[in-house]
Amino acid sequence: MEKWPLGVFASIDAGLGVYLDVVQELGVPTIQLHAPSAAQRTSENAASFAKRVRELGITVTAVFGGFEGESYADIPTTARTVGLVPLETRASRLREMREIADFARLLEVEVVGLHVGFVPHDRESEAYRQVVEVTAELCRHCQGNHQALHLETGQETGEALLLFIEDVGQENLFINFDPANMILYGSGEPISTLKLVGKYVLSVHCKDATWAQRRGEEWGAEVPLGEGDVGIENYLATLNELGYTGPLTVEREIPQDRERQKAEIGHAIRLLSELKAKFGA
Ligand code: MG
């Protein structure tokens, strides 16, 4: 694949992400797919979806898992409800992530992504050890499918994320770097964090945000690409220095409105195309 193919975060059924027809209309060659709901994850649906994207000339570069009951309403709610961290749902969500990985395999997709949740900070605690273990278990399942697992950034500082990956100790565990999430969660300056964790970054989101007044206590604001505090040109320069050649996947947290998607995603794709040319990609 060429360096830095453009991409968008897309979905099949109702959920997060851009509609496939919008992706096609914008001429975007790759997508990361938000995993469809359990009822939709049949082998028949996988086959028909794989055929559809093939016909559209779109490559699926990753499948992202998400779970019922997750809420990003505010930071404490996110900590309580997201990912494999909440204990009540951990076993059922691990099962579901395995199914999502198997669905991704049917699509011949070699990357599975997720927000693991707010990893406990005390590395000596039983709670931390358990989150390390469940992540390792999911990695081993993905390994059996010849897949890598990419952790979405945001909830952890770069330092904590590095230690966590090393503690999990699985060769197929990497990072999907989202610079805006570092700002939204107030977990660290995105560019210096990217430099710190760069050796594990194998996929990225192109997303922008402005800092909250009280960082880490309230959400920053997600804004159109190029209008926030990430510094998109500097972001791409840093990816370039790190030797990153993977897809640049636009993620925009806007309602599933086709006209708005076309306008806003179109704007982001044009901005990235101009910047790509600057970096000889
Ligand atoms: Mg993201």
Side-chain angles (χ1 to χ4, degrees):
M1 206 180 260
E2 52 159 326
K3 176 181 172 183
W4 292 357
L6 296 176
V8 293
F9 197 86
S11 70
I12 307 179
D13 54 0
L16 305 159
V18 175
Y19 290 108
L20 270 192
D21 56 310
V22 175
V23 177
Q24 190 207 13
E25 195 176 321
L26 293 172
V28 177
T30 78
I31 58 171
Q32 285 186 347
L33 183 70
H34 182 249
S37 54
Q40 300 289 325
R41 289 194 301 264
T42 62
S43 49
E44 294 75 25
N45 281 354
S48 71
F49 181 74
K51 182 167 177 279
R52 189 164 160 221
V53 289
R54 208 164 34 239
E55 285 167 0
L56 294 173
I58 295 169
T59 302
V60 183
T61 59
V63 174
F64 266 75
F67 309 104
E68 219 170 284
E70 291 186 318
S71 167
Y72 292 85
D74 52 43
I75 292 177
T77 307
T78 305
R80 207 175 57 245
T81 64
V82 167
L84 298 176
V85 172
L87 193 54
E88 324 72 76
T89 50
R90 188 178 295 155
S92 62
R93 287 180 175 180
L94 174 61
R95 214 175 308 126
E96 181 159 17
M97 272 313 295
R98 288 199 193 105
E99 291 168 13
I100 288 169
D102 294 348
F103 181 80
R105 186 178 62 171
L106 293 175
L107 298 177
E108 297 177 5
V109 174
E110 293 172 346
V111 175
V112 176
L114 94 157
H115 266 297
V116 74
F118 278 73
V119 174
H121 290 154
D122 179 2
R123 288 175 72 216
E124 303 302 317
S125 69
E126 176 63 14
Y128 179 85
R129 198 194 60 72
Q130 287 180 4
V131 176
V132 164
E133 184 43 43
V134 72
T135 306
E137 212 174 316
L138 180 56
C139 284
R140 288 190 287 268
H141 184 86
C142 290
Q143 189 69 61
N145 284 346
H146 307 288
Q147 292 164 326
L149 181 67
H150 291 195
L151 299 178
E152 172 88 349
T153 55
Q155 287 109 347
E156 270 63 58
T157 62
E159 291 83 356
L161 192 57
L162 277 184
L163 289 171
F164 180 69
I165 288 174
E166 282 156 23
D167 287 339
V168 174
Q170 299 291 316
E171 282 179 3
N172 61 335
L173 184 59
F174 295 98
I175 291 171
N176 180 82
F177 193 83
D178 185 326
N181 281 356
M182 302 305 298
I183 293 175
L184 290 169
Y185 287 87
S187 47
E189 201 283 313
I191 304 298
S192 59
T193 305
L194 174 59
K195 288 178 182 166
L196 184 68
V197 303
K199 66 174 173 176
Y200 289 113
V201 173
L202 288 189
S203 59
V204 301
H205 284 162
C206 292
K207 190 168 96 184
D208 216 338
T210 54
W211 294 98
Q213 291 258 329
R214 292 179 297 132
R215 295 181 185 183
E217 290 177 51
E218 57 188 17
W219 285 129
E222 199 242 331
V223 298
L225 199 70
E227 295 176 20
D229 295 327
V230 168
I232 296 302
E233 184 162 349
N234 194 14
Y235 178 50
L236 293 195
T238 307
L239 288 170
N240 202 38
E241 279 164 27
L242 289 167
Y244 176 83
T245 58
L248 301 178
T249 304
V250 174
E251 184 184 32
R252 186 76 176 98
E253 293 171 3
I254 52 176
Q256 287 208 303
D257 170 311
R258 280 190 168 76
E259 291 313 309
R260 195 162 165 209
Q261 287 185 348
K262 273 183 220 169
E264 298 214 11
I265 304 292
H267 161 80
I269 291 294
R270 280 189 297 279
L271 174 64
L272 288 175
S273 300
E274 284 168 27
L275 289 171
K276 268 181 69 169
K278 261 194 178 177
F279 291 102

